[in-house]
Amino acid sequence: MTQSQLPRHVAVVMDGNGRWAKARLLPRLLGHQRGVEAARKVIRGCSQAGVECLTLFAFSSENWKRPPDEVSGLMSLFMTVLDREAEGLVRYNIRLHFIGDRQAFSPSLKEKITQTEAKTAHCQGMRLLVAANYGGRWDIIQALQAYLTAHPNSDPTTLSEHSIAPYLSTARLDVPEPDLFIRTGGEYRISNFLLWQLAYAEFHFSEKLWPEFNEQDLALAFADFAKRQRRFGMTGEQIQQGAGHA
Ligand code: IPE
Ligand code: IPE
Ligand code: MG
């Protein structure tokens, strides 16, 4: 696969943990625990393939509506995983960032997130964005708020997508928009993930439940992506003549 056929940024909705557990008569939380192992495989696979950035949807702004014991179980899982995985991330030279509204997390989780981001801050390899308490609509609103704070006297008629885009949580981290979107669990929706940033992403859906997703499935997604012709609104002929994006 040439470098241009490899996505620079992969964004994943890791879905199906609960159903995986239910099918085995296990508590949903066990499905989330097994999901962490799948995440580790995908992180390693993307990093080894040369992907520049991987964004994993870990907890949506709507997931607070789940039963309280599942929500608190997920919060303690985040704590455990951050503790356990920080060293491995450094070993793989992966820089971690959280995107989403972290205000809602407990002080100890907020601190753990900040600490882990700091521990990997010197890493120059792949960027790993974990979307937690993230919502695509929230992202657009916070970008707009940041823009208006920076330009309090701005004329609304001059507002363009170029005004807002730099304030999106991914752009603030200097991360390009996703090229490849993967959703597992046989669902075909965005569920309020990176709404703005996915405008021109290629979509790949897997029937596999997230805990079962592995390196081969990732390779399938990359192969699927490599076959697509990205046209960005142009014609196929224009793209063949080299008018497309870099
Ligand atoms: C995704 O798996 C993980 C989170 C949303 C935290 P689910 O928990 O949504 O699994 P299903 O969709 O119920 O099987
Ligand atoms: C999306 O999955 C959020 C995460 C994977 C973290 P959901 O399982 O919450 O999405 P819906 O509710 O099925 O749309
Ligand atoms: Mg789900």
Side-chain angles (χ1 to χ4, degrees), residues 15-16 19 66:
D15 197 19
R19 279 165 286 161
R66 293 194 177 197

Side-chain angles (χ1 to χ4, degrees), residues 13-15 57-60 63 66 131 183 187 189-191:
V13 178
M14 311 184 286
D15 197 19
F57 203 4
F59 191 86
S60 77
N63 287 147
R66 293 194 177 197
R183 182 166 187 151
E187 306 292 352
R189 51 180 175 259
I190 300 183
S191 298

Side-chain angles (χ1 to χ4, degrees), residues 20 24-25 78 88 122 152 190 199 202 235:
W20 181 90
R24 287 159 185 77
L25 305 176
F78 293 150
H122 63 287
I190 300 183
E202 297 296 326
T235 67

Side-chain angles (χ1 to χ4, degrees), residues 2-79:
T2 67
Q3 220 44 32
S4 69
Q5 290 169 313
L6 182 76
R8 290 179 68 193
H9 181 176
V10 179
V12 186
V13 178
M14 311 184 286
D15 197 19
N17 294 347
R19 279 165 286 161
W20 181 90
K22 195 174 172 200
R24 287 159 185 77
L25 305 176
L26 297 168
R28 290 179 61 88
L29 204 62
L30 232 104
H32 296 311
Q33 285 171 6
R34 290 296 290 264
V36 175
E37 289 169 36
R40 200 185 291 122
K41 288 178 193 163
V42 167
I43 293 167
R44 205 183 307 133
C46 283
S47 153
Q48 284 170 351
V51 167
E52 290 170 40
C53 176
L54 170 66
T55 301
L56 298 177
F57 203 4
F59 191 86
S60 77
S61 41
E62 289 74 33
N63 287 147
W64 297 106
K65 296 182 207 159
R66 293 194 177 197
D69 60 333
E70 181 168 349
V71 171
S72 62
L74 280 165
M75 295 301 139
S76 34
L77 184 62
F78 293 150
M79 287 289 279

Side-chain angles (χ1 to χ4, degrees), residues 5-234:
Q5 290 169 313
L6 182 76
R8 290 179 68 193
H9 181 176
V10 179
V12 186
V13 178
M14 311 184 286
D15 197 19
N17 294 347
R19 279 165 286 161
W20 181 90
K22 195 174 172 200
R24 287 159 185 77
L25 305 176
L26 297 168
R28 290 179 61 88
L29 204 62
L30 232 104
H32 296 311
Q33 285 171 6
R34 290 296 290 264
V36 175
E37 289 169 36
R40 200 185 291 122
K41 288 178 193 163
V42 167
I43 293 167
R44 205 183 307 133
C46 283
S47 153
Q48 284 170 351
V51 167
E52 290 170 40
C53 176
L54 170 66
T55 301
L56 298 177
F57 203 4
F59 191 86
S60 77
S61 41
E62 289 74 33
N63 287 147
W64 297 106
K65 296 182 207 159
R66 293 194 177 197
D69 60 333
E70 181 168 349
V71 171
S72 62
L74 280 165
M75 295 301 139
S76 34
L77 184 62
F78 293 150
M79 287 289 279
T80 318
V81 170
L82 285 171
D83 263 334
R84 200 177 60 204
E85 307 292 339
E87 262 181 47
L89 292 176
V90 172
R91 210 173 322 119
Y92 278 94
N93 201 20
I94 294 170
R95 183 167 181 190
L96 175 80
H97 306 273
F98 269 68
I99 57 169
D101 184 2
R102 51 179 92 177
Q103 295 310 318
F105 295 134
S106 70
S108 53
L109 181 54
K110 273 191 278 205
E111 195 180 317
K112 181 67 65 192
I113 290 172
T114 314
Q115 277 172 2
T116 319
E117 285 176 330
K119 271 187 202 166
T120 66
H122 63 287
C123 295
Q124 314 229 301
M126 189 176 80
R127 315 282 290 279
L128 173 62
L129 273 52
V130 174
N133 193 21
Y134 179 88
R137 290 176 178 171
W138 165 84
D139 201 357
I140 294 167
I141 296 299
Q142 71 75 28
L144 200 50
Q145 285 171 342
Y147 173 80
L148 291 173
T149 305
H151 307 87
N153 302 316
S154 65
D155 169 2
T157 61
T158 64
L159 197 67
S160 76
E161 60 183 82
H162 303 291
S163 333
I164 306 303
Y167 293 95
L168 291 164
S169 51
T170 42
R172 281 173 192 254
L173 297 170
D174 255 335
V175 159
E177 292 184 356
D179 305 292
L180 171 62
F181 165 95
I182 300 173
R183 182 166 187 151
T184 61
E187 306 292 352
Y188 306 91
R189 51 180 175 259
I190 300 183
S191 298
N192 198 17
F193 197 23
L194 302 152
L195 294 178
W196 179 305
Q197 296 92 326
L198 289 170
Y200 270 103
E202 297 296 326
F203 281 54
H204 174 86
F205 296 98
S206 169
E207 294 304 309
K208 284 224 183 153
L209 300 172
W210 179 249
E212 299 170 325
F213 195 84
N214 60 28
E215 294 83 353
Q216 286 78 43
D217 300 307
L218 182 65
L220 275 178
F222 285 162
D224 191 15
F225 176 81
K227 285 190 293 211
R228 310 279 178 91
Q229 186 192 48
R230 305 184 74 192
R231 290 194 282 274
F232 302 99
M234 289 175 272

